[in-house]
Amino acid sequence: MEWLEVSTENCPVQRALDVVGEKWTLLILRDAVNGVRRFDGFHRHIGLSEAVLSDRLRKLTAAGVLTTVSYREPGRRSRNEYRLTRKGWDLWPVLMALGQWGETYALGPDVPRPVLDVTHTDCGAPVRVTVQCTAEHIALTPQDVTVRPGPGARGSS
């Protein structure tokens, strides 16, 4: 079966983009990974409108990427913090890969590198995203892998 004969109905990339495939959503996730938990923090740091932020937080919560935890400051009404679920934390490598690509290809030549110094806490070495197989062969390239339709794929009509 050729790639163009495979239906995109169950495409995992397409389904993932249905949840996180919007600029503001990815920026919210970037901030959540880096410890932002409150609406005001997201709003101030990302700079998007309150309406758009509310909508994206609601969608991420409904999708199980974020969960809400109630908090109350003295003399104030109860509010929600937004925390990443396991499903949300599993997007961390995606964010790291996007950042790595952006550092390499999307910054101007006048921007000093690295913009973010991401290092392994134990040894101090820079962190890089790589693709590996389950037998732990690492740093695979597209030429090293074979893609075939699996049981969830259906041929197009």
PDB file of all heavy atoms in Angstrom, residues 4-21:
ATOM      1  N   LEU A   4      -0.012   7.512  -0.181  1.00  0.00           N
ATOM      2  CA  LEU A   4      -1.173   8.304  -0.607  1.00  0.00           C
ATOM      3  C   LEU A   4      -2.468   7.497  -0.633  1.00  0.00           C
ATOM      4  O   LEU A   4      -3.543   8.057  -0.774  1.00  0.00           O
ATOM      5  CB  LEU A   4      -0.914   8.948  -1.971  1.00  0.00           C
ATOM      6  CG  LEU A   4       0.164  10.027  -1.968  1.00  0.00           C
ATOM      7  CD1 LEU A   4       0.409  10.544  -3.378  1.00  0.00           C
ATOM      8  CD2 LEU A   4      -0.197  11.168  -1.031  1.00  0.00           C
ATOM      9  N   GLU A   5      -2.379   6.187  -0.482  1.00  0.00           N
ATOM     10  CA  GLU A   5      -3.563   5.342  -0.400  1.00  0.00           C
ATOM     11  C   GLU A   5      -4.043   5.168   1.034  1.00  0.00           C
ATOM     12  O   GLU A   5      -5.104   4.613   1.276  1.00  0.00           O
ATOM     13  CB  GLU A   5      -3.268   3.965  -1.006  1.00  0.00           C
ATOM     14  CG  GLU A   5      -2.961   4.013  -2.495  1.00  0.00           C
ATOM     15  CD  GLU A   5      -2.467   2.686  -3.021  1.00  0.00           C
ATOM     16  OE1 GLU A   5      -2.222   1.756  -2.223  1.00  0.00           O
ATOM     17  OE2 GLU A   5      -2.314   2.579  -4.246  1.00  0.00           O
ATOM     18  N   VAL A   6      -3.259   5.640   2.001  1.00  0.00           N
ATOM     19  CA  VAL A   6      -3.613   5.508   3.408  1.00  0.00           C
ATOM     20  C   VAL A   6      -4.531   6.654   3.801  1.00  0.00           C
ATOM     21  O   VAL A   6      -4.250   7.821   3.533  1.00  0.00           O
ATOM     22  CB  VAL A   6      -2.346   5.522   4.297  1.00  0.00           C
ATOM     23  CG1 VAL A   6      -2.713   5.469   5.766  1.00  0.00           C
ATOM     24  CG2 VAL A   6      -1.433   4.367   3.920  1.00  0.00           C
ATOM     25  N   SER A   7      -5.639   6.323   4.423  1.00  0.00           N
ATOM     26  CA  SER A   7      -6.580   7.342   4.887  1.00  0.00           C
ATOM     27  C   SER A   7      -5.932   8.180   5.983  1.00  0.00           C
ATOM     28  O   SER A   7      -5.190   7.667   6.823  1.00  0.00           O
ATOM     29  CB  SER A   7      -7.837   6.672   5.448  1.00  0.00           C
ATOM     30  OG  SER A   7      -8.660   7.624   6.087  1.00  0.00           O
ATOM     31  N   THR A   8      -6.239   9.464   5.982  1.00  0.00           N
ATOM     32  CA  THR A   8      -5.730  10.339   7.038  1.00  0.00           C
ATOM     33  C   THR A   8      -6.711  10.432   8.205  1.00  0.00           C
ATOM     34  O   THR A   8      -6.447  11.122   9.177  1.00  0.00           O
ATOM     35  CB  THR A   8      -5.454  11.754   6.497  1.00  0.00           C
ATOM     36  OG1 THR A   8      -6.668  12.291   5.968  1.00  0.00           O
ATOM     37  CG2 THR A   8      -4.370  11.734   5.446  1.00  0.00           C
ATOM     38  N   GLU A   9      -7.801   9.691   8.134  1.00  0.00           N
ATOM     39  CA  GLU A   9      -8.834   9.750   9.169  1.00  0.00           C
ATOM     40  C   GLU A   9      -8.291   9.452  10.559  1.00  0.00           C
ATOM     41  O   GLU A   9      -8.646  10.112  11.524  1.00  0.00           O
ATOM     42  CB  GLU A   9      -9.956   8.767   8.825  1.00  0.00           C
ATOM     43  CG  GLU A   9     -11.082   8.753   9.828  1.00  0.00           C
ATOM     44  CD  GLU A   9     -12.144   7.737   9.467  1.00  0.00           C
ATOM     45  OE1 GLU A   9     -12.226   7.319   8.297  1.00  0.00           O
ATOM     46  OE2 GLU A   9     -12.891   7.363  10.369  1.00  0.00           O
ATOM     47  N   ASN A  10      -7.430   8.460  10.679  1.00  0.00           N
ATOM     48  CA  ASN A  10      -6.864   8.091  11.974  1.00  0.00           C
ATOM     49  C   ASN A  10      -5.398   8.486  12.107  1.00  0.00           C
ATOM     50  O   ASN A  10      -4.681   7.913  12.923  1.00  0.00           O
ATOM     51  CB  ASN A  10      -7.011   6.584  12.212  1.00  0.00           C
ATOM     52  CG  ASN A  10      -8.453   6.197  12.437  1.00  0.00           C
ATOM     53  OD1 ASN A  10      -9.216   6.951  13.024  1.00  0.00           O
ATOM     54  ND2 ASN A  10      -8.834   5.031  11.946  1.00  0.00           N
ATOM     55  N   CYS A  11      -4.954   9.454  11.334  1.00  0.00           N
ATOM     56  CA  CYS A  11      -3.562   9.877  11.387  1.00  0.00           C
ATOM     57  C   CYS A  11      -3.247  10.441  12.775  1.00  0.00           C
ATOM     58  O   CYS A  11      -3.889  11.390  13.228  1.00  0.00           O
ATOM     59  CB  CYS A  11      -3.287  10.931  10.328  1.00  0.00           C
ATOM     60  SG  CYS A  11      -1.643  11.655  10.454  1.00  0.00           S
ATOM     61  N   PRO A  12      -2.268   9.877  13.478  1.00  0.00           N
ATOM     62  CA  PRO A  12      -1.943  10.369  14.817  1.00  0.00           C
ATOM     63  C   PRO A  12      -1.475  11.824  14.823  1.00  0.00           C
ATOM     64  O   PRO A  12      -1.751  12.554  15.764  1.00  0.00           O
ATOM     65  CB  PRO A  12      -0.824   9.438  15.292  1.00  0.00           C
ATOM     66  CG  PRO A  12      -0.794   8.300  14.360  1.00  0.00           C
ATOM     67  CD  PRO A  12      -1.486   8.704  13.103  1.00  0.00           C
ATOM     68  N   VAL A  13      -0.766  12.246  13.769  1.00  0.00           N
ATOM     69  CA  VAL A  13      -0.326  13.643  13.709  1.00  0.00           C
ATOM     70  C   VAL A  13      -1.539  14.558  13.592  1.00  0.00           C
ATOM     71  O   VAL A  13      -1.659  15.559  14.308  1.00  0.00           O
ATOM     72  CB  VAL A  13       0.658  13.875  12.537  1.00  0.00           C
ATOM     73  CG1 VAL A  13       0.975  15.349  12.366  1.00  0.00           C
ATOM     74  CG2 VAL A  13       1.931  13.063  12.738  1.00  0.00           C
ATOM     75  N   GLN A  14      -2.459  14.201  12.718  1.00  0.00           N
ATOM     76  CA  GLN A  14      -3.673  15.006  12.543  1.00  0.00           C
ATOM     77  C   GLN A  14      -4.486  15.060  13.832  1.00  0.00           C
ATOM     78  O   GLN A  14      -4.957  16.123  14.242  1.00  0.00           O
ATOM     79  CB  GLN A  14      -4.518  14.433  11.408  1.00  0.00           C
ATOM     80  CG  GLN A  14      -5.755  15.258  11.102  1.00  0.00           C
ATOM     81  CD  GLN A  14      -6.458  14.763   9.851  1.00  0.00           C
ATOM     82  OE1 GLN A  14      -5.807  14.311   8.907  1.00  0.00           O
ATOM     83  NE2 GLN A  14      -7.764  14.835   9.845  1.00  0.00           N
ATOM     84  N   ARG A  15      -4.634  13.930  14.503  1.00  0.00           N
ATOM     85  CA  ARG A  15      -5.401  13.894  15.760  1.00  0.00           C
ATOM     86  C   ARG A  15      -4.713  14.720  16.849  1.00  0.00           C
ATOM     87  O   ARG A  15      -5.358  15.396  17.636  1.00  0.00           O
ATOM     88  CB  ARG A  15      -5.594  12.452  16.225  1.00  0.00           C
ATOM     89  CG  ARG A  15      -6.463  11.609  15.300  1.00  0.00           C
ATOM     90  CD  ARG A  15      -7.928  12.042  15.397  1.00  0.00           C
ATOM     91  NE  ARG A  15      -8.775  11.330  14.479  1.00  0.00           N
ATOM     92  CZ  ARG A  15      -9.554  10.302  14.800  1.00  0.00           C
ATOM     93  NH1 ARG A  15      -9.569   9.852  16.034  1.00  0.00           N
ATOM     94  NH2 ARG A  15     -10.299   9.726  13.883  1.00  0.00           N
ATOM     95  N   ALA A  16      -3.376  14.658  16.904  1.00  0.00           N
ATOM     96  CA  ALA A  16      -2.635  15.465  17.885  1.00  0.00           C
ATOM     97  C   ALA A  16      -2.813  16.953  17.593  1.00  0.00           C
ATOM     98  O   ALA A  16      -3.018  17.753  18.512  1.00  0.00           O
ATOM     99  CB  ALA A  16      -1.154  15.084  17.870  1.00  0.00           C
ATOM    100  N   LEU A  17      -2.763  17.313  16.319  1.00  0.00           N
ATOM    101  CA  LEU A  17      -2.940  18.719  15.957  1.00  0.00           C
ATOM    102  C   LEU A  17      -4.345  19.223  16.269  1.00  0.00           C
ATOM    103  O   LEU A  17      -4.528  20.412  16.540  1.00  0.00           O
ATOM    104  CB  LEU A  17      -2.598  18.940  14.487  1.00  0.00           C
ATOM    105  CG  LEU A  17      -1.110  18.819  14.161  1.00  0.00           C
ATOM    106  CD1 LEU A  17      -0.884  18.901  12.663  1.00  0.00           C
ATOM    107  CD2 LEU A  17      -0.296  19.863  14.906  1.00  0.00           C
ATOM    108  N   ASP A  18      -5.317  18.325  16.273  1.00  0.00           N
ATOM    109  CA  ASP A  18      -6.665  18.713  16.689  1.00  0.00           C
ATOM    110  C   ASP A  18      -6.662  19.226  18.133  1.00  0.00           C
ATOM    111  O   ASP A  18      -7.462  20.080  18.506  1.00  0.00           O
ATOM    112  CB  ASP A  18      -7.645  17.537  16.577  1.00  0.00           C
ATOM    113  CG  ASP A  18      -7.974  17.171  15.149  1.00  0.00           C
ATOM    114  OD1 ASP A  18      -7.718  17.981  14.228  1.00  0.00           O
ATOM    115  OD2 ASP A  18      -8.496  16.044  14.941  1.00  0.00           O
ATOM    116  N   VAL A  19      -5.750  18.717  18.942  1.00  0.00           N
ATOM    117  CA  VAL A  19      -5.663  19.109  20.353  1.00  0.00           C
ATOM    118  C   VAL A  19      -4.681  20.256  20.555  1.00  0.00           C
ATOM    119  O   VAL A  19      -4.988  21.237  21.232  1.00  0.00           O
ATOM    120  CB  VAL A  19      -5.256  17.908  21.239  1.00  0.00           C
ATOM    121  CG1 VAL A  19      -5.097  18.328  22.694  1.00  0.00           C
ATOM    122  CG2 VAL A  19      -6.260  16.769  21.113  1.00  0.00           C
ATOM    123  N   VAL A  20      -3.487  20.164  19.979  1.00  0.00           N
ATOM    124  CA  VAL A  20      -2.429  21.120  20.305  1.00  0.00           C
ATOM    125  C   VAL A  20      -1.889  21.899  19.106  1.00  0.00           C
ATOM    126  O   VAL A  20      -0.904  22.625  19.247  1.00  0.00           O
ATOM    127  CB  VAL A  20      -1.239  20.427  21.015  1.00  0.00           C
ATOM    128  CG1 VAL A  20      -1.680  19.787  22.308  1.00  0.00           C
ATOM    129  CG2 VAL A  20      -0.559  19.418  20.108  1.00  0.00           C
ATOM    130  N   GLY A  21      -2.531  21.807  17.970  1.00  0.00           N
ATOM    131  CA  GLY A  21      -1.968  22.377  16.754  1.00  0.00           C
ATOM    132  C   GLY A  21      -2.267  23.838  16.512  1.00  0.00           C
ATOM    133  O   GLY A  21      -2.538  24.236  15.387  1.00  0.00           O
TER     134      GLY A  21
END
